[in-house]
C-alpha cells in the first residue's frame, strides 16, 4: 500500500510505536507530522525519514490549553490531514487506594482527553472532504485491567469506547476509526 499525497499526524512520535509508525508511513510515501514533547528527538527522527515535507509540531498533551492553542495556531500552516494516529500515552502507576488525584487526572488527560480534543479539531476537515482515517492506540490493559494501573486501564478502555462511538458517527462520511 502506498500513501503518496497523504498526510499522517502521529502523536507520541518521539519513541516506541510512534517512531516506528512514522518511519513506516514515510517509507510508504506519506508526509508525516511528528508530535511529542521532546522536540530534539522529533527533529532527529525527521532528519532520518525518507521523503520530504515532514513536519514537527511540538505538543504537550498534558496541557489541554497547549493542545487547543497549538492546533488553532497551526491549522492554516498545516497540510490537509488524512490520517490521525493518537498514539501518545503515559503511565503513572499506583494502587488505587494510594493514587493521587493529579496522577489519575494526568493519565486520563494525556491518554484519553487529549486524543479526543485533537480528533475533534481535525474531524471537521475530514468530514468536509468525506475522507479520513483515525486510529487510537489502546492496550490490552484496556480490556483486562492490571493491578496498579487503574488510571491507565481506564484511559485505554475509554479509547476503545471512543473509537467505537466515533466510528458509528462518521462512517457514513467516508471516515474510518
Amino acid at each position: 500500500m502506498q500513501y503518496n499525497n497523504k498526510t499522517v499526524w502521529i502523536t507520541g512520535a518521539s519513541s516506541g510505536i510512534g517512531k516506528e509508525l512514522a518511519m513506516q508511513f514515510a517509507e510508504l510515501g506519506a508526509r508525516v507530522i511528528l508530535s511529542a514533547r521532546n522536540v530534539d528527538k522529533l527533529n532527529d527522527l525527521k532528519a532520518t525519514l525518507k521523503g520530504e515535507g515532514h513536519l514537527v509540531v511540538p505538543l504537550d498533551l498534558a496541557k489541554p490549553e497547549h493542545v487547543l492553542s497549538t492546533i488553532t495556531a497551526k491549522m492554516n500552516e498545516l497540510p490537509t490531514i488524512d490520517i490521525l494516529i493518537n498514539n501518545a500515552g503515559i503511565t503513572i502507576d499506583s494502587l488505587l487506594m494510594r493514587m493521587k488525584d493529579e496522577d489519575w487526572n494526568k493519565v486520563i488527560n494525556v491518554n484519553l482527553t487529549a486524543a479526543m480534543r485533537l480528533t475533534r479539531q481535525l474531524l471537521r476537515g475530514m468530514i468536509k472532504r468525506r475522507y479520513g482515517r483515525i486510529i487510537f492506540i489502546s492496550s490490552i490493559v484496556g480490556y483486562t485491567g492490571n493491578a496498579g494501573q487503574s488510571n491507565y486501564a481506564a484511559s485505554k478502555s475509554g479509547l476503545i469506547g471512543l473509537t467505537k462511538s466515533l466510528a458509528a458517527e462518521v462512517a457514513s462520511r467516508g471516515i474510518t476509526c
Side-chain angles (χ1 to χ4, degrees), residues 89-93 99 104 107-108 111 138-139 141-142 149-157:
I90 62 168
T91 60
I92 304 175
D93 297 346
M99 187 173 292
W104 173 273
V107 170
I108 296 294
N111 296 2
S138 185
S139 168
V141 174
Q149 290 191 313
S150 58
N151 52 1
Y152 181 77
S155 71
K156 294 302 183 172
S157 183

